[in-house]
Amino acid sequence: DALPDFSAPVDNFVIKDYSADVPVFSYTMNDYRIHGGVDIACSAGTPVYAAADGFVCEIDHDPMMGVTVGVQHSGGAVTRYRGLSEESMELVTAGEEVTRGQVIGASGETALIESAEEAHVHFELSINGEPVDPGDYMKLTHLSDVYEG
């Protein structure tokens, strides 16, 4: 199976990049650690969209990452949307088919491990079980892109 076309789950800029090798500073934990996804700025209640067609494979309330919705895609890809609002657990159901651009949740403040950070959605992409940089598979806007030119 080929990978699908992906699009950003929130229409805003990345405030913290993916970093599997070089630790980045966590204001909440007051230390340096790897960051297995990207944080996309948005205020609480902002709609969060499926990044590609697939089916909901996970709806969970992780003790550290908060409300999480996972979507399985073709090509062995899985996207996870973390720190969503509690109400997001009611928007989709496990096994439900979703299409790219469909609302699957809303941003919230449920991720304890990122609670001191600016409001955002934490977005992860894995392929065949291996975390990858979402920016390698879709166009993401960074704050530096907004202010250049």
Side-chain angles (χ1 to χ4, degrees):
D1 267 0
L3 289 172
D5 290 329
F6 292 102
S7 56
V10 177
D11 186 23
N12 212 338
F13 52 86
V14 172
I15 55 173
K16 187 179 280 187
D17 280 312
Y18 173 88
S19 180
D21 302 324
V22 179
V24 293
F25 190 72
S26 166
Y27 289 99
T28 306
M29 303 309 287
N30 198 31
D31 65 6
Y32 286 86
R33 56 187 54 221
I34 63 167
H35 192 243
V38 294
D39 292 346
I40 304 173
C42 60
S43 57
T46 300
V48 176
Y49 306 100
D53 296 350
F55 69 90
V56 177
C57 62
E58 172 186 9
I59 300 174
D60 186 33
H61 194 294
D62 182 278
M64 294 305 283
M65 291 305 294
V67 173
T68 298
V69 173
V71 178
Q72 174 77 50
H73 309 281
S74 62
V78 175
T79 51
R80 286 190 176 80
Y81 313 77
R82 299 187 184 269
L84 303 179
S85 68
E86 294 285 347
E87 296 78 19
S88 298
M89 296 184 80
E90 309 294 323
L91 291 177
V92 291
T93 57
E96 179 179 341
E97 193 169 326
V98 295
T99 58
R100 183 171 74 169
Q102 177 180 335
V103 175
I104 58 167
S107 61
E109 299 172 300
T110 59
L112 289 177
I113 199 166
E114 295 187 340
S115 61
E117 310 287 334
E118 180 179 339
H120 67 277
V121 168
H122 178 90
F123 175 70
E124 298 174 0
L125 173 63
S126 63
I127 298 175
N128 298 321
E130 294 296 319
V132 297
D133 184 348
D136 290 344
Y137 296 87
M138 68 190 71
K139 179 167 179 19
L140 295 172
T141 303
H142 291 78
L143 191 54
S144 59
D145 299 335
V146 175
Y147 289 104
E148 286 179 356

